[in-house]
Amino acid sequence: GQQLNQSPQSMFIQEGEDVSMNCTSSSIFNTWLWYKQDPGEGPVLLIALYKAGELTSNGRLTAQFGITRKDSFLNISASIPSDVGIYFCAGQGTDSWGKLQFGAGTQVVVTP
Amino acid sequence: SQTIHQWPATLVQPVGSPLSLECTVEGTSNPNLYWYRQAAGRGLQLLFYSVGIGQISSEVPQNLSASRPQDRQFILSSKKLLLSDSGFYLCAWSGGGAFEQYFGPGTRLTVT
């Protein structure tokens, strides 16, 4: 089956710094999604990507759908304390309509 | 606008007892519905999904079952809980041919 690798596992950054994380797949994805989860809550959708090469922003967040369709990147600029949480990538493959495969998550900790 | 509800929010049950978790969606019709389990705050495991009333697909053989008695209601059940059933259970929906999934607030289940 498809494998989805997300890195890094965790990041400790200072307020104001930029954050980058990525996901790679062993096979082609049609859709990439990025979620953020706060402790004890359900994941919240941040950005959805549907086309190879697509670059989409949501405030200080920017995500890209890789040209090879096997990877995606999420950048957070000028981090603030409320950026703390776990960020998940998710992808929908060519043979798994309606189902998403999730990365293991990137834990982001922001220090003042 | 669409909203998704889950209850209870938290549950502590003894081993061998039954389980029933409920998920309902408002503001949409004929959604795809999903049950996930999340252990230790990382990694979402798809348990069941449903594309319509009475239609359930199981992703992982386990001690759990799911039912969809109404269009916007999804229930997760067990006849006898195991210690390994402890975790954070998330319900999600998608619709309109789109692949974005939207999550509920989750149920924290502790089996003692």
Side-chain angles (χ1 to χ4, degrees):
Chain A
Q2 296 168 328
Q3 292 185 339
L4 195 56
N5 298 308
Q6 184 171 352
S7 64
Q9 281 192 322
S10 59
M11 305 182 70
F12 293 82
I13 60 174
Q14 286 194 322
E15 186 174 352
E17 288 183 348
D18 296 344
V19 176
S20 293
M21 62 194 78
N22 70 85
C23 275
T24 59
S25 169
S26 58
S27 55
I28 292 173
F29 276 9
N30 289 329
T31 302
W32 283 99
L33 306 173
W34 285 93
Y35 291 84
K36 180 185 180 227
Q37 185 177 28
D38 291 329
E41 300 181 10
V44 174
L45 181 64
L46 299 173
I47 293 177
L49 303 160
Y50 289 100
K51 293 171 57 176
E54 180 181 355
L55 186 70
T56 298
S57 293
N58 178 5
R60 293 176 297 104
L61 278 62
T62 301
Q64 184 164 24
F65 193 140
I67 292 293
T68 65
R69 296 173 64 191
K70 293 185 178 181
D71 57 6
S72 180
F73 305 86
L74 176 70
N75 295 314
I76 306 172
S77 62
S79 59
I80 59 178
S82 62
D83 290 333
V84 167
I86 301 178
Y87 292 79
F88 291 98
C89 63
Q92 189 264 327
T94 57
D95 60 351
S96 57
W97 187 95
K99 295 187 292 184
L100 297 177
Q101 185 173 355
F102 283 82
T106 295
Q107 172 83 57
V108 173
V109 178
V110 180
T111 58
Chain B
S1 63
Q2 300 88 3
T3 56
I4 179 169
H5 304 279
Q6 287 186 244
W7 63 87
T10 60
L11 191 60
V12 180
Q13 292 283 94
V15 168
S17 64
L19 173 74
S20 181
L21 303 182
E22 188 166 345
C23 170
T24 58
V25 181
E26 297 177 353
T28 187
S29 297
N30 196 31
N32 294 331
L33 296 172
Y34 308 83
W35 278 113
Y36 290 87
R37 178 167 58 203
Q38 185 177 36
R42 305 288 287 265
L44 284 77
Q45 179 188 34
L46 179 62
L47 302 176
F48 301 95
Y49 70 96
S50 171
V51 298
I53 296 175
Q55 302 178 62
I56 309 295
S57 296
S58 175
E59 289 295 299
V60 181
Q62 59 217 330
N63 185 42
L64 303 170
S65 62
S67 62
R68 185 170 176 174
Q70 300 181 43
D71 181 44
R72 289 169 289 178
Q73 183 185 31
F74 206 22
I75 297 172
L76 184 69
S77 304
S78 174
K79 292 183 178 178
K80 288 186 178 182
L81 283 169
L82 306 172
L83 284 175
S84 59
D85 291 324
S86 293
F88 192 48
Y89 288 82
L90 289 158
C91 181
W93 74 273
S94 67
F99 298 113
E100 298 101 336
Q101 292 183 18
Y102 298 92
F103 287 84
T107 295
R108 172 73 60 191
L109 172 66
T110 303
V111 182
T112 61

